[in-house]
Amino acid sequence: MASLITPLLSVAPTRALVDEKFKVRVKNLPAGLPFTLHSLHLSEDNDYWEAFGHYISNYNGTVCVSEHLSLGGTYTGKEPMGLLWSLRPVPGSRKGLRLRKKNVSSPLLYTISVYSGHLTEGFRDQAPLASVVTERWYMAPGVQRISIKENIVRGTMFLPPGPGPFPGLLDMWGGGGGLVEYRAAILASHGYAAFALEYINPGEMATAELEIEYFETAFNIVKDHPRVIPNKVGIFGLSFGATVAFYLASESNVVKPRCCVCINGHTIFSRGKSFAEQSGEMLRNAHLIRIDEDDNHMWRNLFLSRDNTLDMEKINCPVLLVCGEDDQNVPSVEIADDIERTMHAAGKGHLLTRINYPGAGHLIEVPYAPHFRVTAFMQSRTQKIMMLWGGQTKPHSDAQEDSWKKILDYLEHHLFSSPSLESKL
Amino acid sequence: MANKQCSVLLSVHPSRALVDEKFKVLVQNASPGAELTVHSHLLSEDKHNWEAFGHYICDSTGSVNLCEDLSLGGTYEGVEPMGLLWSLRPVPGSKPGLRLRKSNVETPLKVTVSVYQGHLTEGFPEHRALAAVLVERWYMAPGVQRIPVTEHNLTATLFLPPGPGPFPAVLDLWGGGGNLVEYRSSLLASHGFAALALDYLTNDLTITTGKMMKNDYFETAYKFLEQHPQIVGSRIAMWGLSLGTAMTLKMAAYSKVMKLRCAVCYSGSHIQPVNGSTEEILNNFLKNQDKTRINEKQEMIWHDLILPIPEDPALKVDMGRVQCPLLLVVGQDDQNWPAFVSAMDIKKMMEKAGNIHLLTLLVYPDTGHLIEPPYSPHTRASTFRSFESRELYTSLWGGQTVGHARAQEDSWRKSLMFLREHLYGRRKKSNL
């Protein structure tokens, strides 16, 4: 009697944090035949994302993604996590999509399947041989999510489980605005009280009444929180957030961050002006914006100016600079070079740690997140443009994985003090 | 110490896992040589507090790694990465005779793992922990479907693995305590086996008619699986524990309807009126009540009730009739059923009948009756409501915690391998 024997597909662990690795393994296949491993994700915006790799089963009838080579698909080579980081919108999707989870209290769900043969399309029209579901979480069990609205400061505080107190982090994203919680959530899962700060609505950078004092207040909200160690509060910023971090670490009289992690930030800042005014100033140089043949905006030249920059020689705390060499939004490397020169000249070179990632773009995110070279961006509340962020998928994903490890080590070193004796001199 | 703000870092990896998966517990950033207690706490569904703890000394880097370092005392000793789970026991002052069993498999067990300063043995709630994390332990993987089954008067729950299938299946039977116990089935489904948890003692039909189920009830359950569109009808196994094993051996030997691909039998016996109904099998126990022994703690030892091993072939399952691979798992310290001596007799019978090649026998020292999924706490004795008389006793199940914990871990792994081999194996059938 012919009986159908299903291959045994497993993903271990089935539930994990977003920055943890998994092992995808298929057993019980016929030996030496082609198979496709496929991952499918339905986003909160109802878009389908997929990734796939082409494999040949070995003599044992096994395909092991962590150990075997993918011969084609959205990733090639030995890539244990390729089914996640090479995810891209399925053919026919809307343009300029970006995968960002809004609700961090629920996991990202991926359906991992194995198909017969080497497929590149039409996954929906064929039944897989087997599939499993895996959950990827931003929040570890026990992490608390607390909405904050103190005076005008708005955001979400994530507290790790346990009695505390904990080192704190002010977590900021770029000029795109909105309340982006997921990085703060995963940082809390690593033991930091992390505050995801909301400062403008999408598209309002040019109009919002936003002043630098807002960020100083936000920093102090973290510092003064009963479960936070007041002298162990750092700042984590990407893009515009990094710029804010630079200011707070160098020129603010009100706050004293313990350390800063700055990804692809620029140093252009006009003291005493609101961000709307500064935005206006910058856009007077709109002729410096390049638009490519696909109508994608390349903003990097806007930030090359040496006028109105922060005095980085005044930096008073350790700073980790993460730069994507293919950043098309901010000339990250050139700016980092300037910062490095300035700080060394001022005798503060020991405070700076810098990592350059070749082939990485602007949006250096949490590991295994998909890479976005171009996405839709609200330049104003009504104007949507296609923003070129840069980066090539494989090196960008490597940068995300590597930088995150280094960032966590860096934060642990500076914010979780080891009980070594401190000199009283 | 001047700087009191050094934060101890505690991590448990993975923080969400299936109950049969291992975790790594790591303490860092403490003082070198410091004495620490690593503690676990669980609040059960019936609102009892369970805890376990180990005493450690930090190494020169101020770390403790439960995978490598020795516990010097507590509820477990030695290098025991999973000791915080399998040595869980009710906190002092708890009601006696408790057993930890999850009813709702769709939510996880939530275990709080904490680190305390010093080597504590009690009063944990009064001390402030240095750090704590929450760990989830699941009986169900994501994507597993839980389907209540009431067709054909069955009281059962079907668990289907994720994916298109079709899948091999396991008919899953527990023991004389009755009820619909789902957690082993949901775990099996998390490993790729469709599994049907079947209530055959307190099922709806028995409750309403007052009549106990006969063979056809089990055969109906089998046929339900056989005909299910997502189940491979030719690859159905049975898994029993205790009275469930008695049923399994009976069906494997005598059922004309069931063509079991293989059978897994824990903590049971073949001693029963041949092809008797459930009622007759239970009566066999009841009429031997006088052979009950009671120990100094008033715990019931029912081990001798169906002994001695009868010579009369009408009083035990004819093991020569079993035609499928059989995995027998027994604890040498089983005080509830004579599982070990029965296993020896089964072995003799199969050797004589010429089907010994079908038998895989796993015998575990210091192991009691309730051989559960890995890292489950060991229950040496607990309150048991006799199905027949509805009286509450304290039943002695047996086992010593460490040996019993090892048996749970080892037997589960081997049982899964056994099922994979026989239910997923690409067996080339001889055409002779």
Side-chain angles (χ1 to χ4, degrees), chain B residues 153 175-178 199-218 243 247 250 276-286 386-390:
Chain B
N153 285 319
D199 180 359
Y200 57 97
L201 290 178
T202 52
N203 52 305
D204 295 339
L205 197 53
T206 298
I207 303 279
T208 49
T209 62
K211 290 199 177 40
M212 291 194 59
M213 296 295 100
K214 293 192 156 41
N215 287 355
D216 55 322
Y217 182 76
F218 299 93
L243 187 62
M247 300 300 146
K250 172 169 65 133
S277 68
T278 317
E279 189 161 18
E280 286 163 328
I281 293 177
L282 280 173
N283 280 339
N284 198 27
F285 278 90
L286 286 174
S386 157
F387 171 71
E388 274 289 311
S389 70
R390 308 312 293 155

Side-chain angles (χ1 to χ4, degrees), chain B residues 249 265 268-271 309 316-322 326-330 338-363:
Chain B
L249 289 175
C265 294
S269 172
H270 60 320
I271 303 168
I309 309 234
K316 53 187 184 178
V317 172
D318 182 0
M319 294 306 296
R321 292 176 60 114
V322 171
L326 175 63
L327 176 67
L328 276 189
V329 180
V330 303
F340 176 62
V341 297
S342 303
M344 296 298 107
D345 192 61
I346 287 174
K347 183 157 173 256
K348 255 195 341 230
M349 289 177 84
M350 290 177 80
E351 273 161 351
K352 195 147 167 238
N355 63 348
I356 187 66
H357 59 284
L358 292 175
L359 179 66
T360 307
L361 179 56
L362 299 176
V363 177

Side-chain angles (χ1 to χ4, degrees), chain B residues 148-415:
Chain B
V149 174
T150 47
E151 288 96 317
H152 317 300
N153 285 319
L154 293 171
T155 300
T157 312
L158 177 66
F159 289 92
L160 285 178
F167 310 101
V170 178
L171 177 55
D172 181 33
L173 304 179
W174 286 89
N179 293 314
L180 184 49
V181 183
E182 297 185 353
Y183 57 84
R184 192 168 58 204
S185 290
S186 60
L187 257 186
L188 288 171
S190 305
H191 286 281
F193 304 98
L196 187 73
L198 181 69
D199 180 359
Y200 57 97
L201 290 178
T202 52
N203 52 305
D204 295 339
L205 197 53
T206 298
I207 303 279
T208 49
T209 62
K211 290 199 177 40
M212 291 194 59
M213 296 295 100
K214 293 192 156 41
N215 287 355
D216 55 322
Y217 182 76
F218 299 93
E219 288 168 347
T220 303
Y222 175 91
K223 282 194 290 217
F224 166 80
L225 289 173
E226 198 188 16
Q227 285 156 13
H228 196 286
Q230 279 179 280
I231 291 175
V232 182
S234 61
R235 292 189 183 223
I236 299 175
M238 250 173 112
W239 182 319
L241 182 131
S242 193
L243 187 62
T245 285
M247 300 300 146
T248 302
L249 289 175
K250 172 169 65 133
M251 307 311 289
Y254 299 108
S255 172
K256 295 200 173 29
V257 171
M258 292 199 193
K259 301 264 170 292
L260 296 177
R261 188 80 174 194
C262 67
V264 177
C265 294
Y266 275 61
S267 304
S269 172
H270 60 320
I271 303 168
Q272 52 181 264
V274 158
N275 210 5
S277 68
T278 317
E279 189 161 18
E280 286 163 328
I281 293 177
L282 280 173
N283 280 339
N284 198 27
F285 278 90
L286 286 174
K287 68 174 196 268
N288 287 308
Q289 291 271 29
D290 50 309
K291 291 197 210 152
T292 303
R293 283 183 282 136
I294 306 182
N295 70 6
E296 67 281 2
K297 293 194 209 161
Q298 304 304 310
E299 293 160 347
M300 304 286 140
I301 299 172
W302 283 320
H303 177 274
D304 303 339
L305 294 193
I306 53 178
L307 289 181
I309 309 234
E311 289 298 328
D312 182 353
L315 297 174
K316 53 187 184 178
V317 172
D318 182 0
M319 294 306 296
R321 292 176 60 114
V322 171
Q323 296 189 322
C324 66
L326 175 63
L327 176 67
L328 276 189
V329 180
V330 303
Q332 281 182 306
D333 194 40
D334 189 335
Q335 298 293 330
N336 190 247
W337 279 62
F340 176 62
V341 297
S342 303
M344 296 298 107
D345 192 61
I346 287 174
K347 183 157 173 256
K348 255 195 341 230
M349 289 177 84
M350 290 177 80
E351 273 161 351
K352 195 147 167 238
N355 63 348
I356 187 66
H357 59 284
L358 292 175
L359 179 66
T360 307
L361 179 56
L362 299 176
V363 177
Y364 293 100
D366 290 340
T367 300
H369 186 68
L370 301 176
I371 304 177
E372 300 254 24
Y375 322 123
S376 305
H378 163 236
T379 307
R380 184 167 167 82
S382 69
T383 46
F384 181 79
R385 190 176 291 285
S386 157
F387 171 71
E388 274 289 311
S389 70
R390 308 312 293 155
E391 273 181 68
L392 213 54
Y393 297 102
T394 302
S395 171
L396 181 67
W397 309 112
Q400 302 299 328
T401 300
V402 176
H404 193 94
R406 304 256 189 269
Q408 288 185 157
E409 198 181 336
D410 190 70
S411 62
W412 180 255
R413 189 174 50 86
K414 293 190 164 123
S415 299

Side-chain angles (χ1 to χ4, degrees), chain A residues 1 3-6 8 14-15 20 28 30 128 131-133 135 137 139-142 161-164 229 412 416-419, chain B residues 3 6-7 9 13 15-16 29-30 128-129 132 134 136 138 140-143 162-164 166 232 234-235 420 423-424 426:
Chain A
M1 164 173 46
S3 57
L4 306 150
I5 277 306
T6 319
L8 262 167
T14 45
R15 294 179 177 90
E20 289 171 349
N28 225 41
S131 55
V132 293
V133 177
E135 293 177 359
W137 292 78
M139 271 172 78
I229 306 170
E412 196 185 306
F416 275 97
S417 73
S418 41
Chain B
N3 186 6
C6 83
S7 324
L9 259 169
H13 225 261
S15 49
R16 292 180 177 90
N29 228 38
R128 188 185 158 87
L134 190 65
E136 290 179 359
W138 290 80
M140 249 171 96
V232 182
S234 61
R235 292 189 183 223
R420 257 177 236 133
L423 296 182
Y424 268 100
R426 306 187 145 261

